[in-house]
């Protein structure tokens, strides 16, 4: 499995600990995690099916929602099956290439999701601040290009991460990664040699994605709120803000867990390791679980179509 080189090793695989410190509770932890994963898969598939069937939902906001659903399915499926395999079967071992592939999918699609939220903020800005030109600006082609741009950005930003590990960090102090999945810094932490480039690149990508995207989204909503405050009646203001409520909730669901997890990882040196790992899992699982719920509850068209399908299923002809 390893080739020894002084105190360091050349691994062909890694050993994921799962939730360190809570090994005795793995089987019990599998219950909420498997339940949440099931809800995430079913919820996002339902969103995709409802938007596909309901032609009145073939609008930019719902196309972006479908992109979110696909991204959430990829994110949750990149981590949860392996985590559940660790919980249920003790399948801790992961091949080096599989580890790097998992790392790429996790960080790439988290970056893509942030880009889609930015595109959705642009959609809401045009819809509210320049409604007469919304259909002209946000055409199907433009929506597709924005989604493709978010995907390409994710690939370009994150693609170098596994390559840098593969090419620069071949020696490791241990094969044991104190994490439930192959997160970039968790792998870099156990590497031998100089990891400065990897550290700075990872932090730089985090700044570009989380900080700049969130600032751009905040700027768009400042302009949106200014436009809303200029409306004549309170009813018009509430109705207009209501069109943004689902997007705002989804943004908070996405960014708050990431911010809490990042801050805890950077500054919470006295926080137990299992808290770090649980938070890291939650920030990949909570958005896929809550996004379909938020949009199903807050979006009338989706809610009505879903209720119609449920009623039709309950009373077949």
């Amino acid at each position: 499995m390893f080739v020894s080189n002084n105190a360091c090793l050349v691994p062909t695989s890694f050993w994921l600990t799962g939730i360190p410190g809570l090994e005795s509770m793995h089987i019990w932890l599998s219950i909420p995690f498997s339940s949440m994963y099931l809800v995430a898969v079913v919820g996002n598939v339902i969103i995709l099916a409802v938007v596909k069937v309901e032609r009145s939902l073939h609008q930019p906001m719902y196309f972006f929602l479908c992109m979110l659903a696909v991204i959430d399915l990829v994110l949750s499926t990149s981590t949860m099956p392996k985590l559940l395999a660790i919980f249920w079967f003790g399948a801790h071992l992961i091949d080096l290439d599989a580890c790097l592939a998992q790392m790429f999918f996790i960080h790439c699609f988290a970056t893509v999701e942030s880009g889609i939220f930015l595109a959705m903020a642009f959609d809401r800005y045009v819809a509210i601040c320049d409604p007469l030109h919304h259909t002209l600006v946000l055409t199907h082609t433009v929506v597709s290009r924005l989604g493709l741009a978010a995907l390409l950005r994710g690939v370009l930003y994150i693609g170098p991460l596994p390559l840098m590990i593969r090419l620069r960090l071949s020696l490791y102090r241990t094969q044991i990664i104190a994490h439930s999945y192959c997160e970039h810094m968790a792998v870099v932490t156990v590497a031998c040699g100089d990891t400065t480039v990897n550290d700075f690149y990872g932090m730089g990508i985090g700044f570009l994605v989380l900080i700049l995207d969130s600032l751009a989204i905040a700027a768009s909503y400042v302009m949106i709120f200014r436009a809303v405050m200029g409306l004549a009646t309170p009813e018009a203001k509430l109705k207009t803000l209501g069109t943004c409520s689902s997007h705002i909730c989804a943004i908070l669901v996405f960014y708050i867990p990431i911010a809490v997890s990042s801050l805890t990882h950077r500054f919470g040196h006295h926080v137990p390791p299992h808290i770090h790992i649980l938070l890291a899992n939650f920030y990949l699982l909570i958005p896929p679980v809550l996004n379909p719920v938020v949009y199903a509850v807050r979006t009338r068209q989706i809610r009505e179509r879903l209720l119609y399908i449920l009623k039709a299923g309950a009373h077949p002809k």
Side-chain angles (χ1 to χ4, degrees):
M1 185 179 296
F2 298 100
V3 178
S4 180
N5 186 343
N6 297 326
C8 295
L9 304 163
V10 181
T12 58
S13 59
F14 289 109
W15 181 274
L16 296 172
T17 60
I19 311 296
L22 298 179
E23 287 83 358
S24 62
M25 297 180 62
H26 275 182
I27 194 66
W28 296 106
L29 287 171
S30 70
I31 297 173
F33 276 104
S34 59
S35 301
M36 291 173 72
Y37 178 53
L38 180 62
V39 170
V41 171
V42 172
N44 284 290
V45 169
I46 287 175
I47 289 291
L48 290 169
V50 168
V51 174
K52 178 178 173 58
V53 169
E54 185 57 61
R55 295 191 62 84
S56 66
L57 298 179
H58 292 185
Q59 302 172 28
M61 184 173 79
Y62 303 108
F63 290 141
F64 287 131
L65 177 57
C66 287
M67 295 178 194
L68 280 185
V70 172
I71 292 166
D72 285 340
L73 286 171
V74 173
L75 275 176
S76 55
T77 303
S78 297
T79 55
M80 284 304 112
K82 181 59 181 178
L83 179 61
L84 294 175
I86 293 172
F87 286 164
W88 290 336
F89 311 114
H92 294 271
L93 210 61
I94 184 170
D95 183 75
L96 174 60
D97 290 332
C99 180
L100 295 179
Q102 185 186 52
M103 178 192 302
F104 172 78
F105 278 105
I106 291 168
H107 293 297
C108 176
F109 280 88
T111 302
V112 175
E113 183 153 5
S114 183
I116 296 300
F117 279 126
L118 182 57
M120 293 174 80
F122 175 66
D123 168 63
R124 291 297 85 204
Y125 166 75
V126 176
I128 292 172
C129 297
D130 194 9
L132 296 179
H133 294 95
H134 182 248
T135 55
L136 297 176
V137 175
L138 271 298
T139 62
H140 290 186
T141 301
V142 171
V143 170
S144 300
R145 287 176 178 173
L146 288 172
L148 181 60
L151 177 61
L152 290 176
R153 187 185 72 154
V155 172
L156 290 174
Y157 279 8
I158 305 303
L161 284 181
L163 288 176
M164 288 165 65
I165 288 177
R166 189 68 157 157
L167 298 175
R168 298 187 70 255
L169 304 176
S170 58
L171 299 175
Y172 292 82
R173 292 188 299 275
T174 176
Q175 75 168 128
I176 299 173
I177 296 177
H179 212 296
S180 59
Y181 58 83
C182 288
E183 195 267 339
H184 174 248
M185 288 309 300
V187 176
V188 170
T189 299
V190 298
C192 295
D194 184 11
T195 62
T196 304
V197 174
N198 300 75
D199 293 337
F200 276 105
Y201 188 82
M203 287 189 292
I205 293 301
F207 174 80
L208 284 173
V209 174
L210 296 179
I211 304 300
L212 295 186
D213 282 9
S214 58
L215 287 176
I217 291 170
S220 71
Y221 269 99
V222 168
M223 291 184 283
I224 287 171
F225 289 141
R226 287 178 61 185
V228 169
M229 291 302 105
L231 297 175
T233 64
E235 292 77 12
K237 293 176 183 179
L238 288 174
K239 184 177 180 181
T240 304
L241 284 176
T243 65
C244 301
S245 59
S246 298
H247 183 229
I248 293 172
C249 291
I251 288 171
L252 295 176
V253 165
F254 178 73
Y255 283 107
I256 289 177
I258 290 181
V260 171
S261 179
S262 299
L263 290 172
T264 304
H265 182 76
R266 296 289 178 187
F267 305 109
H269 303 298
H270 301 294
V271 176
H274 64 270
I275 299 297
H276 288 291
I277 309 305
L278 287 171
L279 287 173
N281 278 282
F282 284 143
Y283 94 68
L284 291 178
L285 192 54
I286 288 176
V289 170
L290 292 185
N291 281 344
V293 175
V294 167
Y295 277 93
V297 170
R298 299 293 304 174
T299 307
R300 179 180 55 81
Q301 295 94 325
I302 292 179
R303 186 172 62 250
E304 289 177 353
R305 186 66 188 184
L306 185 56
L307 290 173
Y308 173 80
I309 293 172
L310 292 174
K311 288 177 181 178
H315 304 286
K317 293 182 180 180

